[in-house]
Amino acid sequence: MANTHTEQMQKHFQTNGRTRDIQVHTAKVHSVAWSCDGRRLASGSFDKTVCIYTLERERLNKEHVFRGHGDSVDQLCWHPSNPDHLATASGDKTVRIWDSRTSKAAAVINTKGENINICWSPDGSTIAVGNKDDLVTFIDARTHRSRAEEQFKFEVNEISWNNDGDLFFLTSGHGSIHILSYPDLKLQHVLNAHPANCICIEFDPAGHYFATGSADALVSLWDLYDLVCVRTFARLDWPVRTLSFSYDGKMLASASEDLVIDIAEVATGEKIHEIPCDTPTFTVAWHPKRHLLAYACDDRSDRDRDRDSGVVHVFGFPTDS
């Protein structure tokens, strides 16, 4: 029997293959993410700002530009269940929590170093932030005070809780995945996942799998319970920087310096679609309820220095809209 989901989605993207662009930032966009209800998209940029867009029908409209960070906004994440709150990590040694209904920061939390990655615990109680010195700080989201901090002796690239919130994962410069119990932060496992730098990690919404992307240009899919690698995706040629599972957990988008974003069938590894890009891609994020993929790329290529910078793209709109 043919893989009907792959065929269905291939057909879907033939008629829903339009990309809409919106430009608000004046420099490259490092991070995009959807609110939990899918009504808003946020982007964080090298230009030190955070922008919020609303999704109405088939269009994105600018809602707010948040200013206040003194350096590049490297990563952002929304509260897992409150669609109004998001947190941002910046090189200015602060974490900021924003309320998308207002135009100023709800909280500014000073940290010990230049922050590069951030995630929110599944229950919304804690924000974890990692800095360039491989220190991970756990911040109480209500009191805005540090609950714990952990200094690592290896390069920490990306951090994430599992969906249940009782394990904390880090990807390392050695290609390994370190799994700690939470909240006591005791090392449980070290998975030697890749022969090269392990850059990004993403959990599927159903909680069965997690995926990692590496400098070896491979994406690995892991069974969360058995901690075994189920399959690898090998269509990209450059280090995999960013991953996102679709809301149903059936598709995985991955991107790198390759001039395409790969969309794969999780169950088989087959290619469903690819989105062409002019420049390397920094960040991808599937919508939590629809087959829409937000992404942002490097500003401009050497041969095209006049191209606009700071553009956010959303793929998956009807081609006739």
Short mmCIF file of all heavy atoms in Angstrom, two decimals, residues 95-152:
data_model
loop_
_atom_site.label_atom_id
_atom_site.label_comp_id
_atom_site.label_asym_id
_atom_site.label_seq_id
_atom_site.Cartn_x
_atom_site.Cartn_y
_atom_site.Cartn_z
N VAL A 95 17.42 38.33 30.11
CA VAL A 95 16.25 37.63 29.56
C VAL A 95 15.08 38.57 29.77
O VAL A 95 14.95 39.18 30.83
CB VAL A 95 16.01 36.30 30.31
CG1 VAL A 95 14.63 35.72 30.01
CG2 VAL A 95 17.10 35.30 29.97
N ARG A 96 14.25 38.72 28.76
CA ARG A 96 13.07 39.56 28.92
C ARG A 96 11.82 38.74 28.67
O ARG A 96 11.79 37.89 27.77
CB ARG A 96 13.13 40.76 27.95
CG ARG A 96 14.19 41.74 28.40
CD ARG A 96 14.45 42.87 27.41
NE ARG A 96 15.63 43.61 27.87
CZ ARG A 96 15.65 44.88 28.27
NH1 ARG A 96 14.53 45.58 28.25
NH2 ARG A 96 16.75 45.45 28.69
N ILE A 97 10.81 39.01 29.49
CA ILE A 97 9.49 38.41 29.30
C ILE A 97 8.57 39.53 28.81
O ILE A 97 8.56 40.62 29.37
CB ILE A 97 8.95 37.79 30.60
CG1 ILE A 97 9.91 36.69 31.09
CG2 ILE A 97 7.55 37.22 30.38
CD1 ILE A 97 9.56 36.13 32.46
N TRP A 98 7.87 39.25 27.72
CA TRP A 98 7.00 40.26 27.09
C TRP A 98 5.56 39.80 27.13
O TRP A 98 5.28 38.60 27.04
CB TRP A 98 7.41 40.46 25.63
CG TRP A 98 8.86 40.70 25.40
CD1 TRP A 98 9.83 39.75 25.23
CD2 TRP A 98 9.53 41.97 25.31
NE1 TRP A 98 11.06 40.35 25.04
CE2 TRP A 98 10.90 41.71 25.08
CE3 TRP A 98 9.09 43.30 25.39
CZ2 TRP A 98 11.84 42.73 24.93
CZ3 TRP A 98 10.04 44.31 25.23
CH2 TRP A 98 11.39 44.02 25.01
N ASP A 99 4.66 40.76 27.26
CA ASP A 99 3.23 40.49 27.13
C ASP A 99 2.82 41.08 25.78
O ASP A 99 2.92 42.28 25.57
CB ASP A 99 2.45 41.16 28.27
CG ASP A 99 0.98 40.79 28.23
OD1 ASP A 99 0.42 40.60 27.13
OD2 ASP A 99 0.37 40.71 29.32
N SER A 100 2.39 40.22 24.88
CA SER A 100 2.13 40.68 23.51
C SER A 100 0.95 41.64 23.42
O SER A 100 0.74 42.27 22.39
CB SER A 100 1.90 39.48 22.58
OG SER A 100 0.76 38.76 22.99
N ARG A 101 0.18 41.81 24.51
CA ARG A 101 -0.95 42.76 24.49
C ARG A 101 -0.48 44.18 24.81
O ARG A 101 -1.23 45.13 24.63
CB ARG A 101 -2.02 42.32 25.50
CG ARG A 101 -2.65 40.98 25.16
CD ARG A 101 -3.37 40.40 26.35
NE ARG A 101 -2.47 40.19 27.48
CZ ARG A 101 -2.84 39.67 28.64
NH1 ARG A 101 -4.09 39.32 28.82
NH2 ARG A 101 -1.97 39.51 29.61
N THR A 102 0.73 44.31 25.32
CA THR A 102 1.27 45.64 25.64
C THR A 102 2.54 45.86 24.82
O THR A 102 2.99 44.96 24.12
CB THR A 102 1.61 45.75 27.14
OG1 THR A 102 2.71 44.87 27.40
CG2 THR A 102 0.43 45.39 28.01
N SER A 103 3.12 47.02 24.94
CA SER A 103 4.29 47.29 24.11
C SER A 103 5.58 47.40 24.90
O SER A 103 6.57 47.91 24.42
CB SER A 103 4.07 48.57 23.31
OG SER A 103 3.77 49.63 24.19
N LYS A 104 5.56 46.90 26.16
CA LYS A 104 6.81 46.94 26.92
C LYS A 104 7.05 45.60 27.63
O LYS A 104 6.14 44.78 27.75
CB LYS A 104 6.80 48.09 27.92
CG LYS A 104 5.70 48.02 28.97
CD LYS A 104 5.77 49.26 29.87
CE LYS A 104 4.92 49.12 31.11
NZ LYS A 104 3.49 48.95 30.85
N ALA A 105 8.28 45.44 28.09
CA ALA A 105 8.65 44.18 28.75
C ALA A 105 7.91 44.04 30.07
O ALA A 105 7.84 44.99 30.86
CB ALA A 105 10.15 44.13 28.97
N ALA A 106 7.37 42.85 30.32
CA ALA A 106 6.73 42.56 31.61
C ALA A 106 7.79 42.32 32.68
O ALA A 106 7.54 42.54 33.86
CB ALA A 106 5.83 41.35 31.47
N ALA A 107 8.98 41.86 32.26
CA ALA A 107 10.07 41.62 33.21
C ALA A 107 11.40 41.65 32.48
O ALA A 107 11.49 41.23 31.32
CB ALA A 107 9.89 40.27 33.89
N VAL A 108 12.41 42.17 33.17
CA VAL A 108 13.79 42.13 32.68
C VAL A 108 14.61 41.40 33.74
O VAL A 108 14.65 41.81 34.90
CB VAL A 108 14.36 43.55 32.46
CG1 VAL A 108 15.81 43.47 31.97
CG2 VAL A 108 13.50 44.33 31.47
N ILE A 109 15.24 40.30 33.34
CA ILE A 109 15.97 39.47 34.29
C ILE A 109 17.45 39.51 33.90
O ILE A 109 17.82 39.12 32.79
CB ILE A 109 15.45 38.02 34.26
CG1 ILE A 109 13.95 38.00 34.63
CG2 ILE A 109 16.24 37.13 35.20
CD1 ILE A 109 13.14 36.97 33.92
N ASN A 110 18.29 40.02 34.81
CA ASN A 110 19.73 40.08 34.53
C ASN A 110 20.35 38.70 34.71
O ASN A 110 20.03 37.98 35.67
CB ASN A 110 20.40 41.09 35.46
CG ASN A 110 19.96 42.50 35.15
OD1 ASN A 110 20.05 42.95 34.01
ND2 ASN A 110 19.46 43.21 36.15
N THR A 111 21.22 38.34 33.78
CA THR A 111 21.88 37.03 33.82
C THR A 111 23.40 37.24 33.79
O THR A 111 23.88 38.35 33.62
CB THR A 111 21.44 36.16 32.63
OG1 THR A 111 21.76 36.85 31.41
CG2 THR A 111 19.94 35.88 32.68
N LYS A 112 24.13 36.13 33.94
CA LYS A 112 25.58 36.23 34.14
C LYS A 112 26.39 36.34 32.85
O LYS A 112 27.59 36.61 32.92
CB LYS A 112 26.07 35.03 34.95
CG LYS A 112 25.59 35.07 36.39
CD LYS A 112 26.19 33.96 37.20
CE LYS A 112 25.81 34.10 38.67
NZ LYS A 112 26.27 32.96 39.48
N GLY A 113 25.78 36.09 31.72
CA GLY A 113 26.57 36.10 30.49
C GLY A 113 25.73 36.43 29.28
O GLY A 113 24.55 36.78 29.39
N GLU A 114 26.35 36.33 28.10
CA GLU A 114 25.67 36.61 26.84
C GLU A 114 24.83 35.40 26.46
O GLU A 114 25.36 34.31 26.21
CB GLU A 114 26.71 36.90 25.75
CG GLU A 114 27.53 38.15 26.03
CD GLU A 114 28.60 38.36 24.99
OE1 GLU A 114 28.32 38.19 23.78
OE2 GLU A 114 29.74 38.69 25.37
N ASN A 115 23.52 35.59 26.46
CA ASN A 115 22.60 34.47 26.30
C ASN A 115 22.42 34.11 24.83
O ASN A 115 22.28 34.97 23.97
CB ASN A 115 21.24 34.84 26.91
CG ASN A 115 21.41 35.20 28.38
OD1 ASN A 115 21.98 34.43 29.14
ND2 ASN A 115 20.92 36.36 28.76
N ILE A 116 22.38 32.78 24.58
CA ILE A 116 22.24 32.33 23.19
C ILE A 116 21.07 31.36 22.99
O ILE A 116 20.63 31.17 21.86
CB ILE A 116 23.53 31.69 22.66
CG1 ILE A 116 24.04 30.60 23.60
CG2 ILE A 116 24.61 32.75 22.43
CD1 ILE A 116 25.22 29.81 23.06
N ASN A 117 20.58 30.73 24.05
CA ASN A 117 19.43 29.85 23.85
C ASN A 117 18.50 29.88 25.05
O ASN A 117 18.91 30.19 26.17
CB ASN A 117 19.86 28.42 23.51
CG ASN A 117 20.96 27.91 24.39
OD1 ASN A 117 20.93 28.14 25.60
ND2 ASN A 117 21.94 27.22 23.82
N ILE A 118 17.23 29.59 24.78
CA ILE A 118 16.21 29.73 25.82
C ILE A 118 15.08 28.74 25.55
O ILE A 118 14.79 28.42 24.40
CB ILE A 118 15.68 31.20 25.86
CG1 ILE A 118 14.83 31.45 27.11
CG2 ILE A 118 14.92 31.55 24.58
CD1 ILE A 118 14.59 32.94 27.37
N CYS A 119 14.48 28.22 26.62
CA CYS A 119 13.30 27.37 26.45
C CYS A 119 12.43 27.49 27.69
O CYS A 119 12.90 27.88 28.77
CB CYS A 119 13.68 25.92 26.19
SG CYS A 119 14.63 25.14 27.50
N TRP A 120 11.17 27.15 27.53
CA TRP A 120 10.19 27.25 28.61
C TRP A 120 9.79 25.84 29.01
O TRP A 120 9.58 24.99 28.15
CB TRP A 120 8.96 28.03 28.10
CG TRP A 120 8.33 28.92 29.14
CD1 TRP A 120 7.93 28.53 30.38
CD2 TRP A 120 8.03 30.32 29.02
NE1 TRP A 120 7.40 29.62 31.06
CE2 TRP A 120 7.44 30.72 30.25
CE3 TRP A 120 8.18 31.26 28.02
CZ2 TRP A 120 7.00 32.01 30.49
CZ3 TRP A 120 7.74 32.55 28.25
CH2 TRP A 120 7.17 32.93 29.48
N SER A 121 9.69 25.59 30.31
CA SER A 121 9.27 24.25 30.75
C SER A 121 7.83 24.00 30.33
O SER A 121 7.03 24.94 30.21
CB SER A 121 9.41 24.11 32.27
OG SER A 121 8.53 24.99 32.93
N PRO A 122 7.46 22.73 30.10
CA PRO A 122 6.10 22.44 29.60
C PRO A 122 4.99 22.93 30.52
O PRO A 122 3.90 23.25 30.05
CB PRO A 122 6.09 20.91 29.49
CG PRO A 122 7.51 20.53 29.32
CD PRO A 122 8.30 21.52 30.12
N ASP A 123 5.25 23.02 31.85
CA ASP A 123 4.20 23.51 32.75
C ASP A 123 4.21 25.03 32.89
O ASP A 123 3.39 25.61 33.61
CB ASP A 123 4.32 22.85 34.13
CG ASP A 123 5.60 23.23 34.87
OD1 ASP A 123 6.41 24.04 34.33
OD2 ASP A 123 5.81 22.72 35.99
N GLY A 124 5.14 25.71 32.21
CA GLY A 124 5.17 27.16 32.22
C GLY A 124 5.80 27.79 33.44
O GLY A 124 5.86 29.01 33.56
N SER A 125 6.31 26.97 34.37
CA SER A 125 6.79 27.52 35.64
C SER A 125 8.23 28.01 35.58
O SER A 125 8.64 28.82 36.40
CB SER A 125 6.68 26.46 36.74
OG SER A 125 7.61 25.41 36.51
N THR A 126 9.00 27.52 34.62
CA THR A 126 10.44 27.77 34.61
C THR A 126 10.93 28.11 33.21
O THR A 126 10.45 27.53 32.23
CB THR A 126 11.21 26.53 35.13
OG1 THR A 126 10.63 26.10 36.36
CG2 THR A 126 12.69 26.82 35.35
N ILE A 127 11.86 29.04 33.14
CA ILE A 127 12.54 29.36 31.88
C ILE A 127 14.01 28.99 32.05
O ILE A 127 14.63 29.37 33.04
CB ILE A 127 12.41 30.87 31.56
CG1 ILE A 127 10.95 31.24 31.33
CG2 ILE A 127 13.26 31.24 30.33
CD1 ILE A 127 10.68 32.74 31.35
N ALA A 128 14.54 28.23 31.11
CA ALA A 128 15.97 27.90 31.13
C ALA A 128 16.67 28.72 30.06
O ALA A 128 16.17 28.85 28.94
CB ALA A 128 16.18 26.41 30.87
N VAL A 129 17.82 29.26 30.42
CA VAL A 129 18.58 30.07 29.46
C VAL A 129 20.04 29.64 29.52
O VAL A 129 20.60 29.41 30.60
CB VAL A 129 18.41 31.58 29.74
CG1 VAL A 129 18.87 31.96 31.13
CG2 VAL A 129 19.11 32.43 28.69
N GLY A 130 20.64 29.49 28.33
CA GLY A 130 22.05 29.11 28.25
C GLY A 130 22.86 30.26 27.67
O GLY A 130 22.38 31.00 26.81
N ASN A 131 24.10 30.41 28.16
CA ASN A 131 24.92 31.51 27.66
C ASN A 131 26.17 31.00 26.94
O ASN A 131 26.41 29.80 26.86
CB ASN A 131 25.23 32.52 28.77
CG ASN A 131 26.19 31.99 29.82
OD1 ASN A 131 26.95 31.05 29.59
ND2 ASN A 131 26.16 32.60 31.00
N LYS A 132 26.96 31.96 26.44
CA LYS A 132 28.14 31.60 25.65
C LYS A 132 29.21 30.90 26.46
O LYS A 132 30.12 30.29 25.90
CB LYS A 132 28.73 32.85 25.00
CG LYS A 132 27.92 33.36 23.82
CD LYS A 132 28.58 34.54 23.15
CE LYS A 132 27.75 34.96 21.93
NZ LYS A 132 28.26 36.22 21.34
N ASP A 133 29.12 30.97 27.80
CA ASP A 133 30.09 30.31 28.68
C ASP A 133 29.58 28.95 29.15
O ASP A 133 30.12 28.39 30.12
CB ASP A 133 30.40 31.20 29.87
CG ASP A 133 30.98 32.54 29.44
OD1 ASP A 133 31.82 32.55 28.52
OD2 ASP A 133 30.57 33.58 30.00
N ASP A 134 28.52 28.44 28.51
CA ASP A 134 27.97 27.11 28.80
C ASP A 134 27.40 26.99 30.22
O ASP A 134 27.42 25.93 30.84
CB ASP A 134 29.03 26.01 28.55
CG ASP A 134 29.64 26.15 27.15
OD1 ASP A 134 28.86 26.26 26.19
OD2 ASP A 134 30.88 26.19 27.03
N LEU A 135 26.90 28.12 30.71
CA LEU A 135 26.17 28.14 31.98
C LEU A 135 24.67 28.15 31.65
O LEU A 135 24.22 28.97 30.85
CB LEU A 135 26.53 29.40 32.77
CG LEU A 135 25.77 29.60 34.09
CD1 LEU A 135 26.31 28.65 35.17
CD2 LEU A 135 25.87 31.05 34.57
N VAL A 136 23.93 27.22 32.26
CA VAL A 136 22.47 27.18 32.08
C VAL A 136 21.83 27.63 33.39
O VAL A 136 22.12 27.08 34.46
CB VAL A 136 21.98 25.77 31.68
CG1 VAL A 136 20.47 25.75 31.55
CG2 VAL A 136 22.62 25.33 30.36
N THR A 137 20.98 28.64 33.30
CA THR A 137 20.29 29.19 34.47
C THR A 137 18.80 28.89 34.37
O THR A 137 18.21 29.05 33.29
CB THR A 137 20.51 30.72 34.55
OG1 THR A 137 21.91 30.98 34.57
CG2 THR A 137 19.87 31.30 35.80
N PHE A 138 18.22 28.43 35.47
CA PHE A 138 16.78 28.11 35.53
C PHE A 138 16.08 29.22 36.30
O PHE A 138 16.38 29.44 37.48
CB PHE A 138 16.58 26.75 36.20
CG PHE A 138 17.17 25.61 35.40
CD1 PHE A 138 18.51 25.27 35.54
CD2 PHE A 138 16.40 24.91 34.48
CE1 PHE A 138 19.07 24.24 34.79
CE2 PHE A 138 16.95 23.88 33.73
CZ PHE A 138 18.28 23.54 33.88
N ILE A 139 15.18 29.92 35.63
CA ILE A 139 14.54 31.11 36.19
C ILE A 139 13.08 30.80 36.52
O ILE A 139 12.36 30.24 35.68
CB ILE A 139 14.61 32.28 35.18
CG1 ILE A 139 16.07 32.65 34.91
CG2 ILE A 139 13.82 33.49 35.67
CD1 ILE A 139 16.28 33.49 33.66
N ASP A 140 12.66 31.15 37.73
CA ASP A 140 11.26 31.02 38.11
C ASP A 140 10.45 32.03 37.30
O ASP A 140 10.68 33.24 37.40
CB ASP A 140 11.12 31.29 39.62
CG ASP A 140 9.71 31.06 40.12
OD1 ASP A 140 8.75 31.54 39.48
OD2 ASP A 140 9.55 30.41 41.18
N ALA A 141 9.51 31.55 36.50
CA ALA A 141 8.79 32.43 35.59
C ALA A 141 7.83 33.38 36.32
O ALA A 141 7.40 34.38 35.75
CB ALA A 141 8.02 31.60 34.56
N ARG A 142 7.52 33.08 37.57
CA ARG A 142 6.60 33.93 38.33
C ARG A 142 7.36 35.00 39.12
O ARG A 142 7.03 36.17 39.08
CB ARG A 142 5.76 33.06 39.26
CG ARG A 142 4.55 33.75 39.90
CD ARG A 142 3.73 32.75 40.67
NE ARG A 142 4.55 31.93 41.55
CZ ARG A 142 4.96 32.31 42.76
NH1 ARG A 142 4.62 33.50 43.23
NH2 ARG A 142 5.69 31.52 43.51
N THR A 143 8.42 34.59 39.82
CA THR A 143 9.16 35.54 40.66
C THR A 143 10.32 36.19 39.91
O THR A 143 10.90 37.17 40.37
CB THR A 143 9.74 34.83 41.90
OG1 THR A 143 10.72 33.87 41.45
CG2 THR A 143 8.66 34.12 42.69
N HIS A 144 10.69 35.60 38.75
CA HIS A 144 11.80 36.09 37.92
C HIS A 144 13.16 35.97 38.62
O HIS A 144 14.10 36.67 38.28
CB HIS A 144 11.56 37.55 37.45
CG HIS A 144 10.21 37.73 36.83
ND1 HIS A 144 9.44 38.85 37.02
CD2 HIS A 144 9.49 36.90 36.04
CE1 HIS A 144 8.29 38.71 36.37
NE2 HIS A 144 8.30 37.54 35.76
N ARG A 145 13.24 35.05 39.57
CA ARG A 145 14.52 34.81 40.26
C ARG A 145 15.11 33.47 39.81
O ARG A 145 14.39 32.56 39.43
CB ARG A 145 14.32 34.78 41.78
CG ARG A 145 13.85 36.11 42.34
CD ARG A 145 13.69 36.03 43.85
NE ARG A 145 13.05 37.23 44.36
CZ ARG A 145 13.66 38.41 44.54
NH1 ARG A 145 14.94 38.52 44.24
NH2 ARG A 145 13.00 39.44 45.00
N SER A 146 16.42 33.38 39.92
CA SER A 146 17.10 32.14 39.54
C SER A 146 16.78 31.03 40.54
O SER A 146 16.91 31.22 41.75
CB SER A 146 18.61 32.39 39.50
OG SER A 146 19.28 31.17 39.35
N ARG A 147 16.35 29.87 40.01
CA ARG A 147 16.09 28.71 40.87
C ARG A 147 17.33 27.85 41.02
O ARG A 147 17.56 27.22 42.04
CB ARG A 147 15.01 27.83 40.21
CG ARG A 147 13.62 28.33 40.43
CD ARG A 147 12.62 27.30 39.92
NE ARG A 147 11.30 27.66 40.37
CZ ARG A 147 10.19 27.25 39.79
NH1 ARG A 147 10.25 26.47 38.73
NH2 ARG A 147 9.03 27.61 40.26
N ALA A 148 18.09 27.77 39.94
CA ALA A 148 19.29 26.91 39.93
C ALA A 148 20.14 27.33 38.75
O ALA A 148 19.66 27.96 37.81
CB ALA A 148 18.87 25.44 39.78
N GLU A 149 21.42 26.98 38.82
CA GLU A 149 22.25 27.15 37.64
C GLU A 149 23.24 26.00 37.58
O GLU A 149 23.60 25.41 38.60
CB GLU A 149 22.95 28.51 37.63
CG GLU A 149 23.80 28.83 38.82
CD GLU A 149 24.38 30.24 38.71
OE1 GLU A 149 23.64 31.18 38.38
OE2 GLU A 149 25.59 30.38 38.98
N GLU A 150 23.62 25.67 36.37
CA GLU A 150 24.49 24.52 36.15
C GLU A 150 25.56 24.92 35.14
O GLU A 150 25.24 25.37 34.04
CB GLU A 150 23.63 23.36 35.61
CG GLU A 150 24.27 22.01 35.70
CD GLU A 150 24.27 21.39 37.10
OE1 GLU A 150 23.48 21.82 37.98
OE2 GLU A 150 25.10 20.50 37.31
N GLN A 151 26.82 24.79 35.56
CA GLN A 151 27.94 25.11 34.66
C GLN A 151 28.41 23.82 34.00
O GLN A 151 28.68 22.83 34.69
CB GLN A 151 29.10 25.73 35.46
CG GLN A 151 30.33 26.03 34.62
CD GLN A 151 30.09 27.15 33.62
OE1 GLN A 151 29.73 28.25 33.98
NE2 GLN A 151 30.28 26.84 32.34
N PHE A 152 28.49 23.82 32.69
CA PHE A 152 28.95 22.63 31.96
C PHE A 152 30.37 22.85 31.44
O PHE A 152 30.77 23.97 31.16
CB PHE A 152 27.97 22.30 30.83
CG PHE A 152 26.62 21.90 31.36
CD1 PHE A 152 25.61 22.84 31.52
CD2 PHE A 152 26.38 20.59 31.75
CE1 PHE A 152 24.37 22.49 32.04
CE2 PHE A 152 25.15 20.22 32.28
CZ PHE A 152 24.14 21.17 32.43
#
